[in-house]
Amino acid sequence: MCGIVAYVGPKDAAPILLEGLQRLEYRGYDSAGLAVVNGKSLKMRKVKGRVADLAEAVPARFKGACGIGHTRWATHGVPSDVNAHPHLDGEGRIAVVHNGIIENADALRQRLEGEGVTFESETDTEVLCHLIARTVKETDSLDDAVRRALKSVVGTYGIAVVDAQRPGEIVVARNGSPIVLGIGEKEMFAASDVAALVRYTRQVVHLEDGELAVLRADGFHTFTSDARETAKEPFTVDWDTGHYDNGGYEHYLLKEISEQPDTVARTLRGRIDDRFHIAHLGGLNMDARETRSFRRVKIIGCGSAYYSGQIGAQLIEELARIPADAEPASEFRYRNPVVEPDTLYVAISQSGETYDTLAAVQELKRKGGRVLGIVNTVGSAIARECDGGLYLHAGPEVSVASTKAFTSTAVSFALLALHLARVRDLSPADGRRICEGLRRLPEQIEQILKLDEQIKTLAEKYAQAPSMMFVGRVRGYPVAREGAQKLKEISYVHAEAYPASELKHGPLALINPDMPTVAIVPDDELLDKNLTTLGEIRARSGRILMIGHRTADAADDCVVVPKNETELDPILLTIPLQLFAYHAAVALGRDVDRPRNLAKSVTVE
Ligand code: F6R
């Protein structure tokens, strides 16, 4: 969740590190720090607070052409100046920044203390630093010292290390927490996220788990934890700094919600075939025979990615008539899942680095499962691990809460469902209906965005409620779950999502004038059932905000969105809920893009 940046080259490292850290601030943000090597001495500054506070703490003359920086999201030890990274050994020779969690930190700390090491902080990272500092004295090379020190470590890490005795050299290592190298002109960069690199270079190399790299101004080399050299092929990132700007919007979240007509169009581009009414998905790496052979689809992802997977499962079941279901990857990986040869597994991730999802994919692969990835970040760990898949092409998502990646994932599932369906029983006429529906989505999202003022007024009205219920039936249920998720994570208003049909089996007891309900009521075959549910809520004096394709007397307020094909409607019904959560959060004065306790990509267990 934290951010790492490293630089070695001809320029002063500090301004480059600070700029990179600013780009990573969305990942973790309770403290920040940097260290540079100048001559044979290390200089370090770190503060509790934002990168802007760190920039103020760094003196104008902070020379050094080799350095490492970090933004922290506390795991071991409270946010404080002392617990911020980098961490130094007692002699001020080795500096380390670290993402991830060292599971055996306590045992290692005791051992080191027994050997006379004094610790300054409560962090697991400082343990790493002392381990490396002790090993470097036994060997003449920093990379060897890091490699050997890591052998005694259990846990996850992405690290960057400098040694005052070796100016001009940085060692990085990855195990479960991303590290990307950036290749410049006679300079090298490393970061936990390409966001920190794109201002300087678009040529990048991803490290694999268990891999290390040595960076010098004139290049890099990579090797495994057994000291075997590895060969890496750089690739070009097509996101640039413009993608990371807020584009004049007050918040990234609003920018990302507003981008959806474009991002959905990009997800669809070149993937709809009007001759056969099929989807072109070359990245799946499966021929028609193989595509026909699956008898089940299992979808895994975390949080909003999981909810978009629920929409996906329904699309696949409805269109392709293959049994499909979605499960949180975080649960799936721990329950020793039965992996079947005729099941197609689909992993979803915006970041492509969510540790729980990655671990689930690795478990599946180990058991011989066939895994596709629906991923936004090109070249990310999950994308690399999967057998094939679809990229969202939604551009980087900066705000912590997922919006455009959610809709693009649901759209990708519509394409995948169409693909699976048209090699089975879906007729050309129905294929055409879905293709035309998909093409209408960007324009219809545009129309929904025009409801912004109405939704803002409603959000301000309902935001004062201590708690809200979100309900939907079948296709509406994952929409309700995502609506509740958005509201709670950015406005901190307690929100529960329930299948509308389950209400009378328990949660109806909660309904009263202080617990309004957001009801997802599409014009589908379940409309009458949903209207009955509204009547039941109304009879308990519950206030109702209905999101659907018409107004209803039982509802206090209605947001009417354009109708698409019934199977695709959930995608559109999600958009008003994003705006609702956004305006509720603004009305309550929340930090919309950086909600408390959360970070953008959860690369720890
Ligand atoms: C919610 C949200 C999270 C993520 C989840 C998975 O708005 O952003 O629930 O969806 O942490 O993240 P990715 O998609 O990066 O794997």
Side-chain angles (χ1 to χ4, degrees):
M1 325 237 197
C2 317
I4 288 178
V5 196
Y7 171 80
V8 54
K11 302 178 194 129
D12 265 339
I16 295 171
L17 298 176
L18 286 169
E19 148 80 27
L21 292 178
Q22 247 144 21
R23 301 254 168 218
L24 293 186
E25 232 186 350
Y26 71 95
R27 294 179 64 107
Y29 27 77
D30 57 42
S31 46
L34 53 81
V36 296
V37 184
N38 189 20
K40 288 210 166 177
S41 74
L42 256 176
K43 295 188 213 165
M44 195 259 290
R45 288 289 185 284
K46 54 185 187 177
V47 295
K48 178 179 168 204
R50 295 271 161 103
V51 177
D53 301 314
L54 175 65
E56 271 184 31
V58 173
R61 283 189 58 77
F62 202 72
K63 297 277 167 211
C66 171
I68 55 178
H70 193 259
T71 55
R72 174 169 188 255
W73 190 83
T75 51
H76 280 61
V78 293
S80 68
D81 288 359
V82 168
N83 287 337
H85 301 207
H87 288 282
L88 269 51
D89 67 316
E91 293 170 20
R93 172 176 171 183
I94 300 290
V96 178
V97 292
H98 165 225
N99 290 351
I101 294 177
I102 306 300
E103 285 164 20
N104 60 342
D106 289 345
L108 291 171
R109 178 184 278 259
Q110 268 176 24
R111 197 187 87 198
L112 287 162
E113 278 173 343
E115 292 169 15
V117 173
T118 312
F119 280 81
E120 297 247 309
S121 75
E122 304 154 69
T123 65
D124 50 348
T125 305
E126 197 183 342
V127 171
L128 268 180
C129 186
H130 290 296
L131 277 178
I132 296 167
R134 289 177 91 80
T135 320
V136 84
K137 288 182 185 144
E138 298 159 13
T139 161
D140 202 26
S141 101
L142 179 63
D143 52 275
D144 206 35
V146 174
R147 192 182 62 75
R148 283 166 50 185
L150 289 176
K151 288 232 178 265
S152 46
V153 162
V154 179
T156 56
Y157 49 80
I159 56 168
V161 187
V162 287
D163 177 356
Q165 299 295 315
R166 286 180 181 73
E169 189 173 296
I170 299 169
V171 176
V172 292
R174 169 188 172 129
N175 187 41
S177 201
I179 292 285
V180 193
L181 314 185
I183 305 166
E185 277 287 315
K186 300 204 166 43
E187 55 188 359
M188 282 294 303
F189 306 82
S192 51
D193 185 325
V194 286
L197 304 178
V198 287
R199 167 135 190 227
Y200 304 102
T201 177
R202 310 262 285 275
Q203 288 293 301
V204 303
V205 164
H206 287 271
L207 287 195
E208 301 296 336
D209 280 347
E211 219 172 12
L212 298 91
V214 183
L215 278 53
R216 298 193 186 88
D218 59 358
F220 70 99
H221 77 270
T222 54
F223 50 97
T224 65
S225 51
D226 302 327
R228 275 181 293 112
E229 295 279 324
T230 52
K232 307 295 285 186
E233 197 59 48
F235 83 96
T236 309
V237 184
D238 60 3
W239 296 348
D240 60 29
T241 40
H243 285 104
Y244 292 93
D245 292 335
N246 66 4
Y249 285 90
E250 202 178 329
H251 298 102
Y252 279 102
L253 192 71
L254 187 56
K255 177 194 174 216
E256 287 161 8
I257 293 172
S258 309
E259 276 175 348
Q260 290 176 109
D262 283 345
T263 51
V264 164
R266 285 210 299 271
T267 304
L268 291 172
R269 191 163 299 147
R271 287 172 164 167
I272 297 178
D273 176 313
D274 287 321
R275 185 156 162 238
F276 295 108
H277 314 302
I278 56 173
H280 274 308
L281 302 174
L284 301 188
N285 304 326
M286 290 191 302
D287 61 19
R289 192 179 293 263
E290 203 178 351
T291 309
R292 278 187 66 89
S293 68
F294 296 110
R295 296 165 66 89
R296 267 179 70 84
V297 179
K298 178 86 191 176
I299 299 162
I300 53 170
C302 294
S304 290
Y306 157 56
Y307 300 141
S308 66
Q310 277 200 310
I311 294 180
Q314 292 188 4
L315 276 161
I316 290 169
E317 235 172 60
E318 270 199 281
L319 295 178
R321 304 303 297 153
I322 311 173
D325 75 313
E327 183 177 341
S330 45
E331 288 284 300
F332 179 84
R333 59 175 289 223
Y334 284 118
R335 65 171 178 79
N336 191 20
V338 177
V339 176
E340 298 158 312
D342 52 3
T343 297
L344 176 63
Y345 295 89
V346 185
I348 312 161
S349 181
Q350 187 288 125
S351 60
E353 302 288 350
T354 299
Y355 188 76
D356 282 322
T357 311
L358 179 62
V361 172
Q362 287 166 342
E363 177 72 0
L364 279 168
K365 298 289 312 258
R366 200 184 57 73
K367 291 180 166 171
R370 172 77 181 223
V371 195
L372 298 181
I374 296 187
V375 173
N376 195 31
T377 309
V378 176
S380 54
I382 294 170
R384 295 199 307 278
E385 198 74 45
C386 289
D387 298 299
L390 280 85
Y391 281 119
L392 302 182
H393 301 303
E397 199 178 61
V398 174
S399 194
V400 163
S402 184
T403 52
K404 61 178 181 170
F406 182 91
T407 43
S408 281
T409 304
V411 168
S412 301
F413 271 115
L415 290 165
L416 179 62
L418 178 66
H419 181 71
L420 295 170
R422 289 285 291 119
V423 295
R424 290 180 173 76
D425 294 332
L426 193 77
S427 68
D430 272 331
R432 175 190 205 135
R433 185 174 64 76
I434 297 299
C435 289
E436 287 174 357
L438 285 169
R439 284 200 199 286
R440 287 200 298 279
L441 287 174
E443 165 66 32
Q444 290 181 315
I445 296 175
E446 201 86 69
Q447 288 170 32
I448 297 171
L449 295 176
K450 291 196 181 122
L451 303 176
D452 186 52
E453 270 306 313
Q454 184 208 355
I455 296 170
K456 179 170 182 245
T457 309
L458 291 170
E460 285 164 359
K461 171 176 165 186
Y462 285 96
Q464 307 310 324
S467 198
M468 287 190 82
M469 181 74 82
F470 284 68
V471 296
R473 258 190 179 76
V474 186
R475 296 181 203 93
Y477 177 47
V479 177
R481 294 188 89 183
E482 173 59 7
Q485 163 99 335
K486 281 293 87 81
L487 184 68
K488 67 185 121 185
E489 68 184 332
I490 60 172
S491 75
Y492 318 150
V493 173
H494 170 243
E496 289 214 36
Y498 254 90
S501 49
E502 279 286 297
L503 215 51
K504 56 183 172 299
H505 296 292
L508 201 56
L510 290 171
I511 299 295
N512 66 35
D514 287 337
M515 174 111 170
T517 299
V518 176
I520 315 303
V521 185
D523 264 12
D524 62 9
E525 73 283 8
L526 297 167
L527 177 65
D528 288 345
K529 302 254 177 265
N530 280 323
L531 292 177
T532 306
T533 304
L534 298 197
E536 287 166 3
I537 297 169
R538 186 82 179 184
R540 274 82 186 173
S541 310
R543 290 185 291 152
I544 300 170
L545 166 58
M546 171 173 143
I547 314 287
H549 299 118
R550 59 170 75 204
T551 58
D553 290 341
D556 296 79
D557 296 288
C558 298
V559 174
V560 179
V561 305
K563 176 98 184 72
N564 197 300
E565 299 305 322
T566 302
E567 299 90 334
L568 302 177
D569 278 331
I571 301 168
L572 295 173
L573 290 163
T574 308
I575 315 280
L577 300 179
Q578 299 172 341
L579 287 169
F580 182 79
Y582 171 73
H583 288 300
V586 173
L588 293 169
R590 308 299 191 221
D591 191 347
V592 175
D593 286 327
R594 295 164 178 164
R596 70 181 178 208
N597 307 343
L598 299 177
K600 182 65 184 162
S601 94
V602 185
T603 52
V604 291
E605 270 194 290

